Amino acid sequence: MSKALVQQKNKTYDTVIGTSTGALMGPFVLAEEFDQLEAAYTSVNQSDIFNVNPFKSDGEIKAIPAAWRVISGKKTLGESLPLRELVKRFFSVDLYNQLINSNKTYGASLVSLTTAKSEVKILKDNSYNDIIDWIWASANVPVFMSILSKDNELWTDGGLKDFAPIGYVLKNKLAEEIDVILHTTPETTDRNYRKVNGVFDLLLRTVDIFTSDVIQNDLENAKLQVQLQKEVNINFFFMNPSQVNLIGNNLVFDKTKMKQILNEGFQSVVDGTIIHSACKIRVDGQITPFGPN
């Protein structure tokens, strides 16, 4: 979607704050390095992400290995150490320096499991190796992927509390117009593609529903009373249902499917089938309007 918004709708971004997969994509979107971004997403498989893969090829959890990890006292059902090396392979020192020397702002949204607080790590405040850590941690889904231990705290995916860190952008007055690109539909909880046949299926479905609840809370938090000096417009871009159904379990990586997802996302912006909602936060805190265009 982001490529089409820039190339087809003439959007320009001075600030990108990414959560989960958005943290991985953010630097490339900010630098408009879309070919590199597509190369990263269409050339990986499970072994590039996981050194301990908790999923079968059909997206279901490997029940016996998962149970053994629980019994053994492991923090997560899987481990994603190769993902950090993958981030370093595509997010080069040259790209880091390009963003450091620009007037643009990139940040990765995380949650500290130690303090339960959300935090955005800004690229310009961090060394190359540190921002690699923060991007990796933000992209690690709790329970299924590794947890970063850094600065005497445990860090994980910022989507655990803030699926779209709108509040951070508002509080720091980083933009007068905000585009929120969500890799889901507005009706996430209506997705019932996941059959619940056992405890691990129930765990996956619980994560689905919890994620949906976080998304809805983020949309409501965009309307919080914030001390604004100017009006702020917020655009929400959602995937259409066919794209979401194509993703299925978003922790199972398939090159062919990834290419199709990227192509459909681009085309949905071009042909207008992308789901777009918008609201305006006025200086007095009033919101107008909030609904589909």
Side-chain angles (χ1 to χ4, degrees), residues 74-78 109-119 121 134 136-138 140-162 210:
K74 302 293 185 181
K75 291 185 177 71
T76 60
L77 300 184
S109 174
L110 303 103
V111 168
S112 169
L113 294 174
T114 308
T115 65
K117 293 182 180 179
S118 300
E119 191 166 335
K121 300 292 187 178
W134 299 131
W136 177 64
S138 182
N140 280 329
V141 177
V143 179
F144 305 113
M145 303 174 79
S146 298
I147 294 171
L148 172 65
S149 178
K150 191 177 182 72
D151 297 340
N152 298 315
E153 296 183 43
L154 298 176
W155 300 90
T156 192
D157 179 4
L160 193 62
K161 290 193 69 174
D162 296 303
F210 175 77

Side-chain angles (χ1 to χ4, degrees), residues 144-196:
F144 305 113
M145 303 174 79
S146 298
I147 294 171
L148 172 65
S149 178
K150 191 177 182 72
D151 297 340
N152 298 315
E153 296 183 43
L154 298 176
W155 300 90
T156 192
D157 179 4
L160 193 62
K161 290 193 69 174
D162 296 303
F163 202 82
I166 304 165
Y168 179 87
V169 177
L170 292 176
K171 290 175 185 176
N172 289 276
K173 301 178 176 63
L174 293 176
E176 294 178 18
E177 182 169 2
I178 301 170
D179 285 353
V180 181
I181 301 173
L182 295 162
H183 295 169
T184 183
T185 69
E187 299 83 19
T188 305
T189 50
D190 289 343
R191 286 160 49 194
N192 58 2
Y193 63 84
R194 208 186 295 286
K195 295 180 180 180
V196 179

Side-chain angles (χ1 to χ4, degrees), residues 242-288:
S242 66
Q243 293 169 299
V244 172
N245 290 334
L246 180 62
I247 292 174
N249 184 337
N250 59 7
L251 294 179
V252 176
F253 298 87
D254 178 86
K255 298 176 184 180
T256 302
K257 183 186 293 186
M258 197 63 67
K259 289 179 182 178
Q260 188 176 350
I261 291 168
L262 291 174
N263 289 337
E264 288 195 12
F266 186 96
Q267 191 60 38
S268 70
V269 175
V270 174
D271 62 23
T273 59
I274 190 173
I275 302 173
H276 177 209
S277 298
C279 69
K280 177 181 289 185
I281 304 181
R282 298 181 351 202
V283 175
D284 61 6
Q286 296 297 310
I287 309 299
T288 61

Side-chain angles (χ1 to χ4, degrees), residues 67-108:
W68 179 250
R69 287 182 67 84
V70 171
I71 293 169
S72 302
K74 302 293 185 181
K75 291 185 177 71
T76 60
L77 300 184
E79 294 180 10
S80 52
L81 298 180
L83 176 59
R84 189 183 186 281
E85 297 307 309
L86 189 68
V87 174
K88 289 186 70 174
R89 189 199 316 168
F90 285 98
F91 180 46
S92 65
V93 174
D94 286 344
L95 180 53
Y96 168 82
N97 288 330
Q98 177 184 332
L99 294 176
I100 282 285
N101 295 319
S102 73
N103 59 357
K104 297 183 176 183
T105 300
Y106 165 75

